[in-house]
Amino acid sequence: MKKQFLFMIMLFSLISCTEDVSFNNPSFQGLKDNVFWRAVESKASIAANGSLTIEAYSGNEVITLNATSTTAQTYFLGTSTSKTAKYALTDKDGTITFTTGLELGDGQIVITDYDEVNKTVSGTFKFNAENTDNNPLVGPILNFQQSVFYKVPIR
């Protein structure tokens, strides 16, 4: 009886071993006001002047990050209108927008990898964007922190 019991335990341990690996590639996620937020879809584009735009979508929410190039470096937000972060929430009552810009909000976008061959971009970001609609139903500042974008395809 003891041998059968040991055999059964060994059989179950071998059967239960699986390799369930899932990849989150591409990925765009972070903490929005200290709550985990993940995009369902993300894409990037390069304008004729070389500037980079990354867009991430999750239901009725859109985040747009703008940097002046694809060069791996830190782009500081709140210092110009060409380096910005924007969050827009659209519902039945309209759109609520939070943005950074010239002397508006702060933060940074860090490009860590631009893969010209596979046409992807990776990096990190964080920002404090201001409620530009002055909507009293939401706070005056939206905070994103510990945020990453990984292998976002450039189209």
Side-chain angles (χ1 to χ4, degrees):
M1 182 71 174
K2 224 182 213 186
K3 288 182 184 179
Q4 289 175 348
F5 182 69
L6 288 173
F7 178 73
M8 293 297 282
I9 290 176
M10 187 166 4
L11 181 65
F12 282 121
S13 67
L14 291 174
I15 292 172
S16 64
C17 294
T18 62
E19 291 186 26
D20 290 335
V21 178
S22 63
F23 295 96
N24 194 14
N25 183 9
S27 177
F28 191 107
Q29 63 190 35
L31 293 177
K32 178 182 87 169
D33 290 333
N34 294 320
V35 177
F36 181 73
W37 187 92
R38 178 181 289 160
V40 175
E41 181 183 351
S42 58
K43 64 181 180 176
S45 61
I46 301 173
N49 66 0
S51 64
L52 174 69
T53 299
I54 303 169
E55 294 177 315
Y57 307 91
S58 179
N60 57 349
E61 301 170 284
V62 179
I63 295 177
T64 306
L65 303 176
N66 292 304
T68 53
S69 75
T70 56
T71 304
Q73 68 180 35
T74 301
Y75 299 88
F76 292 99
L77 305 175
T79 60
S80 73
T81 57
S82 59
K83 297 173 287 211
T84 61
K86 180 180 175 183
Y87 170 86
L89 171 66
T90 304
D91 63 11
K92 62 181 174 60
D93 297 325
T95 301
I96 300 170
T97 306
F98 292 86
T99 191
T100 65
L102 183 60
E103 297 181 15
L104 186 65
D106 61 11
Q108 63 186 28
I109 301 168
V110 181
I111 306 290
T112 57
D113 182 48
Y114 168 60
D115 187 342
E116 197 169 353
V117 174
N118 295 315
K119 300 212 179 290
T120 62
V121 63
S122 301
T124 63
F125 68 96
K126 62 182 178 180
F127 63 83
N128 293 304
E130 295 187 23
N131 180 348
T132 56
D133 299 323
N134 295 318
N135 189 318
L137 299 176
V138 294
I141 302 289
L142 177 77
N143 172 262
F144 260 88
Q145 57 188 333
Q146 299 176 9
S147 305
V148 298
F149 51 95
Y150 179 71
K151 294 194 176 187
V152 173
I154 298 173
R155 299 179 182 160

